[in-house]
């Protein structure tokens, strides 16, 4: 069932474009300062106009919000902050009318410590739920080992009632679920099937590469039983319906991605991997240790994924999500070339093979923020701030890292118009609105054919019109060029040529864009000097149709 075809004769999600919504920052319908499900329903026409096929909804399930919903305390109930079960049903039904599917975020590696299972589990060692989590005795009053949690501090937490430590890869309020336990697995599959019944159009699987952890051997990602579990889950749930499933996998290589996204549908539809997006940090260090982007490496990594997965698996195309800084501030120029560079990055990405993801506000060219520490809300940002100051780093350099990489860069409210709080809420927003909202907002761009919004809309339309966007074989051009990112995509019907100047200086174009190529899209009004130069951040896609006899 997972293979229902579209007009191009392939699975629907291969020609789809997915839009990610971070619900608390999207649109607030009742003035409490927090975005909600009704708010999303109100904006469905906006999304239909953009042309997207599905919404990946970051978690809206019941949660104490320690990690903004990635800590779930009830997998079948909506958090009151976002609405209720009825609102969710309405969202699914209304979205369907706009030809949009709802992809839910499944957090299966851990739950909240406030989940009923954990509340039971920590009562005693022989409680039936104890084994739903990962417990160890510890050694001589000390944690089993010195593993660290992603958000800072040790990965082990002592519970005196049971005289054991539980394992948590993320915050102390996110205890890891024990996938070794078949009862736990069945319970999760039942829950997934329940959401399928409710009309979910697919699932995004949070840190799926980490579910098969074996902390005794210090294994977090890619545990030996990982693919066994995924195959079992897929068989018991996903394969029963026409869904898209996407696995978040920081540790994926193209070889591993072939397994996750095997075209036989035994696992998932596609991977969501990060190799291309982690390059601007000091090698072997954390994302906070800033380094300039090694442009040639970026090209190598993209080429590797494009060629190695061709006809063997399927990848996601993205620059942004709720964990990443805004791409126009990161690798574009969010000052004098904001519009040009935002469009160049869009054109570069959407020309490649895979399913493109647009993260809310990316289609407007929304930018990073530079707040004082008091304005930040993200648990990861605040944890690292504390830790690094304790280690003796100076505040100024820590703030520089936060401004460049904090997840809150992506989490400021969506900029709808130039009214108070960017039209996001009539109340007090849970996090400060980016002060540039009077210049950058949706109302200004929707009807403007030269806007970033329009460029995204056009790219989506082109993907639907020309199958070569979906199936064309990738070939990188001018690999060694220090400013140009260029490639072709070819199938039996056509050849696409994508030419991008990744930087702010004019460069000469290393090839002739001959007359039999049709310009499909570009980010400047005209093509200057017969296309012999590429101006700052200039990007174009040409089409050459083949003669079919
Ligand atoms: O992210 C996985 C993850 O590893 C991130 O925490 C990552 O290390 C960090 O964001 C880099 O800045 C997923 C979710 O996308 C994220 O929002 C959650 O916090 C995390 O899982 C835990 O559920
Ligand atoms: Ca609200």
């Amino acid at each position: 069932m997972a293979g229902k075809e579209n007009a191009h004769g392939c699975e629907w999600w291969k020609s789809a474009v997915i839009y990610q919504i971070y619900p608390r920052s999207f649109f607030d319908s009742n003035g409490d300062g927090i975005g909600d499900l009704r708010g999303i329903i109100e904006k469905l026409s906006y999304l239909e106009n953009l042309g997207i096929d599905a919404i990946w909804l970051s978690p809206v399930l019941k949660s104490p919000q320690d990690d903004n919903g990635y800590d779930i305390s009830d997998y079948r109930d909506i958090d009151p902050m976002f609405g209720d079960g009825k609102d969710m049903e309405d969202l699914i039904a209304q979205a369907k009318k706009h030809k949009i599917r709802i992809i839910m975020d499944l957090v299966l590696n851990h739950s909240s410590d406030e989940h009923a299972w954990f509340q039971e589990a920590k009562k005693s060692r022989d409680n039936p739920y104890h084994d739903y989590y990962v417990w160890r005795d510890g050694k001589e009053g000390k944690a089993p080992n010195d593993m660290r949690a992603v958000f800072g501090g040790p990965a082990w937490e002592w519970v005196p009632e049971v005289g054991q430590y539980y394992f948590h890869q993320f915050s102390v309020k996110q205890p890891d679920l024990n996938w070794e336990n078949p009862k736990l697995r069945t319970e999760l599959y039942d829950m997934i099937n329940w959401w399928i019944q409710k009309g979910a159009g697919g699932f995004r699987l949070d840190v799926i590469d980490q579910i098969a952890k074996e902390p005794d051997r210090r294994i977090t990602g890619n545990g030996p039983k990982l693919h066994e579990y995924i195959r079992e889950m897929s068989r018991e749930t996903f394969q029963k319906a026409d869904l898209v499933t996407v696995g978040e996998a920081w540790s994926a290589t193209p070889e591993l991605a072939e397994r996750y996204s095997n075209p036989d549908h035994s696992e998932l539809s596609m991977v969501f991997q990060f190799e291309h997006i982690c390059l601007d940090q000091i090698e072997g260090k954390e994302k906070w240790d800033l380094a300039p982007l090694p442009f040639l490496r970026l090209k190598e990594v993209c080429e590797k994924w494009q060629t190695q997965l061709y006809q063997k698996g399927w990848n996601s195309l993205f620059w942004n999500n709720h964990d990443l800084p805004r791409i126009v501030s990161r690798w574009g120029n969010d000052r004098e070339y904001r519009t040009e560079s935002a469009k160049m990055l869009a054109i570069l990405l959407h020309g490649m093979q895979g399913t493109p993801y647009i993260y809310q506000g990316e289609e407007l060219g929304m930018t990073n923020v530079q707040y004082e520490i008091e304005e930040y809300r993200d648990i990861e940002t605040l944890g690292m701030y504390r830790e690094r100051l304790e280690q003796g780093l100076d505040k100024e350099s820590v703030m520089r890292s936060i401004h460049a990489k904090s997840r809150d860069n992506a989490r400021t409210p969506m900029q709808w118009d130039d009214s108070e709080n960017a039209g996001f809420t009539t109340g007090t927003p849970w996090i400060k609105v980016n002060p540039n909202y009077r210049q950058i907002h949706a109302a200004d761009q929707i009807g403007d054919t030269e806007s970033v919004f329009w460029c995204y809309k056009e790219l989506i339309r082109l993907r639907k019109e020309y199958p070569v966007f979906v199936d064309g074989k990738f070939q990188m051009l001018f690999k060694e060029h220090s400013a140009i990112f260029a490639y072709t995509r070819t199938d039996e019907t056509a050849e696409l040529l994508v030419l991008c100047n990744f930087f702010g200086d004019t460069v000469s174009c290393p090839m002739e864009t001959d007359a039999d190529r049709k310009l499909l899209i570009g980010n400047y009004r005209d093509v200057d000097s017969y296309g012999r130069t590429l101006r700052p951040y200039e990007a174009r896609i040409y089409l050459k149709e083949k003669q079919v006899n």
Side-chain angles (χ1 to χ4, degrees):
M1 279 287 281
K4 209 162 175 188
E5 292 182 357
N6 62 7
H8 291 348
C10 64
E11 291 98 336
W12 66 268
W13 41 264
K14 288 193 173 169
S15 63
V17 176
I18 298 175
Y19 187 90
Q20 186 191 351
I21 288 184
Y22 198 63
R24 60 162 59 223
S25 303
F26 192 62
F27 186 59
D28 174 21
S29 70
N30 63 355
D32 66 356
I34 305 168
D36 44 53
L37 295 176
R38 292 269 147 221
I40 299 173
I41 294 173
E42 285 185 43
K43 297 295 182 185
L44 286 168
S45 326
Y46 169 83
L47 297 173
E48 185 177 5
N49 177 25
L50 179 59
I52 54 115
D53 302 270
I55 293 170
W56 153 19
L57 195 61
S58 273
V60 291
L61 303 179
K62 206 157 191 189
S63 160
Q65 304 290 329
D66 182 54
D67 184 19
N68 290 359
Y70 284 91
D71 49 318
I72 294 170
S73 56
D74 185 341
Y75 286 94
R76 297 184 197 219
D77 204 359
I78 301 298
D79 195 282
M81 159 194 293
F82 297 122
D84 58 22
K86 170 80 172 52
D87 296 328
M88 188 66 195
E89 280 173 20
D90 281 356
L91 173 61
I92 292 172
Q94 293 299 322
K96 199 168 177 188
K97 290 191 188 148
H98 293 268
K99 299 181 287 298
I100 293 172
R101 306 187 197 221
I102 303 292
I103 300 172
M104 294 186 67
D105 210 320
L106 275 181
V107 187
L108 306 177
N109 177 68
H110 45 268
S111 75
S112 163
D113 64 336
E114 296 182 32
H115 194 291
W117 297 338
F118 192 75
Q119 293 298 311
E120 285 299 310
K122 69 171 193 192
K123 283 186 182 158
S124 74
R125 293 188 192 199
D126 33 55
N127 187 287
Y129 291 95
H130 188 69
D131 199 38
Y132 275 37
Y133 295 87
V134 181
W135 299 93
R136 296 291 183 270
D137 291 343
K139 288 183 196 142
E140 295 143 19
K142 289 209 320 237
N145 60 35
D146 63 356
M147 288 172 82
R148 307 279 298 168
V150 173
F151 298 147
W156 297 100
E157 182 72 9
W158 176 250
V159 177
E161 294 92 311
V162 288
Q164 283 181 315
Y165 292 86
Y166 68 84
F167 181 64
H168 62 94
Q169 299 189 60
F170 294 90
S171 99
V172 69
K173 285 182 69 60
Q174 293 168 302
D176 268 61
L177 289 164
N178 177 21
W179 275 71
E180 303 252 350
N181 181 346
K183 264 177 63 193
L184 179 263
R185 299 205 302 276
T186 306
E187 189 117 40
L188 292 175
Y189 305 158
D190 287 348
M191 177 274 290
I192 295 171
N193 285 324
W194 188 82
W195 278 112
I196 295 175
Q197 288 299 315
K198 293 260 172 211
F203 298 97
R204 176 261 186 187
L205 296 107
D206 191 61
V207 289
I208 198 63
D209 54 341
Q210 289 171 227
I211 58 171
K213 56 252 158 184
E214 293 192 6
D216 306 313
R217 298 161 62 194
R218 312 180 72 89
I219 294 175
T220 54
N222 298 317
K225 296 206 188 113
L226 175 62
H227 293 276
E228 189 186 306
Y229 294 150
I230 300 177
R231 278 197 299 275
E232 179 186 83
M233 170 167 51
S234 178
R235 202 166 53 235
E236 298 296 325
T237 63
F238 309 141
Q239 289 172 32
K240 298 178 184 171
D242 173 31
L243 302 169
V244 60
T245 49
V246 46
E248 185 202 24
W250 284 75
S251 61
T253 59
E255 291 73 26
L256 291 169
E258 276 184 42
R259 302 185 65 178
Y260 286 114
S261 63
N262 193 317
D264 71 4
H265 303 299
S266 56
E267 296 197 9
L268 307 172
S269 315
M270 67 184 97
V271 283
F272 196 94
Q273 59 75 31
F274 294 79
E275 192 175 357
H276 63 293
I277 208 77
C278 296
L279 299 169
D280 55 359
Q281 65 189 44
I282 297 175
E283 222 187 305
K285 298 265 228 136
E286 292 176 47
K287 70 177 191 182
W288 309 107
D289 302 295
L290 310 178
L293 171 69
F295 179 60
L296 296 186
R297 273 293 294 153
L298 174 71
K299 288 204 275 185
E300 264 168 40
V301 169
C302 290
E303 180 186 25
K304 175 174 87 179
W305 280 89
Q306 287 291 304
T307 49
Q308 289 197 33
L309 228 48
Y310 178 66
Q311 293 182 338
K312 293 196 186 124
W314 199 255
N315 199 359
S316 304
L317 301 170
F318 69 94
W319 292 127
N320 277 109
N321 73 7
H322 64 294
D323 293 333
L324 300 170
R326 295 285 180 181
I327 197 62
V328 68
S329 301
R330 187 179 188 177
W331 294 346
N333 174 330
D334 65 7
R335 298 168 310 275
E336 62 271 45
Y337 294 115
R338 189 184 63 84
T339 299
E340 290 81 357
S341 64
K343 289 182 187 176
M344 178 277 288
L345 289 159
I347 290 170
L348 192 165
L349 192 75
H350 285 238
M352 289 195 283
Q353 185 167 49
T355 298
Y357 286 70
I358 301 172
Y359 177 74
Q360 64 184 44
E362 178 183 342
E363 78 280 18
L364 306 174
M366 274 178 62
T367 69
N368 281 355
V369 287
Q370 306 200 338
Y371 292 161
E372 299 294 332
I373 191 66
E374 293 72 33
E375 305 285 356
Y376 288 88
R377 300 285 176 268
D378 170 33
I379 184 171
E380 182 188 57
T381 305
L382 299 174
M384 117 40 179
Y385 178 77
R386 236 175 287 122
E387 230 169 50
R388 294 211 161 187
L389 286 192
E390 273 162 30
Q391 288 162 8
L393 271 88
D394 65 295
K395 182 167 170 181
E396 208 178 302
S397 79
V398 175
M399 288 315 293
R400 241 195 327 275
S401 297
I402 290 177
H403 293 160
K405 295 282 179 77
S406 169
R407 307 197 294 184
D408 279 341
N409 281 308
R411 300 176 182 185
T412 63
M414 177 76 175
Q415 292 163 211
W416 292 106
D417 57 39
D418 63 1
S419 70
E420 199 67 25
N421 291 318
F424 160 71
T425 180
T426 54
T428 308
W430 70 276
I431 188 171
K432 196 174 138 183
V433 178
N434 190 325
N436 66 17
Y437 73 87
R438 297 211 189 256
Q439 290 80 50
I440 304 169
H441 59 83
D444 181 49
Q445 298 194 24
I446 293 169
D448 174 3
T449 55
E450 286 180 21
S451 65
V452 180
F453 178 89
W454 205 274
C455 177
Y456 274 92
K457 183 177 157 133
E458 204 46 24
L459 285 166
I460 298 172
R461 195 188 61 74
L462 290 169
R463 171 168 297 265
K464 312 283 175 209
E465 184 172 345
Y466 299 104
V468 64
F469 275 91
V470 178
D471 62 21
K473 187 174 177 163
F474 178 96
Q475 168 136 43
M476 188 66 94
L477 305 175
F478 318 116
K479 272 181 218 192
E480 305 301 322
H481 199 292
S482 61
I484 290 177
F485 194 124
Y487 57 89
T488 53
R489 298 278 312 285
T490 316
D491 70 5
E492 320 75 62
T493 63
E495 178 184 281
L496 291 177
L497 167 65
V498 182
L499 279 176
C500 301
N501 178 359
F502 206 86
F503 297 97
D505 297 313
T506 298
V507 291
S508 64
C509 188
M511 70 185 290
E512 300 241 324
T513 44
D514 41 314
D516 58 342
R517 289 180 202 270
K518 174 169 130 199
L519 184 63
L520 288 184
I521 190 168
N523 61 347
Y524 278 75
R525 236 175 254 183
D526 54 352
V527 175
D528 77 337
S529 6
Y530 307 96
R532 273 184 226 130
T533 66
L534 289 167
R535 289 158 287 184
Y537 301 101
E538 183 158 12
R540 300 186 214 128
I541 301 183
Y542 292 95
L543 176 79
K544 184 159 38 182
E545 273 170 308
K546 294 187 182 167
Q547 296 296 336
V548 193
N549 300 312

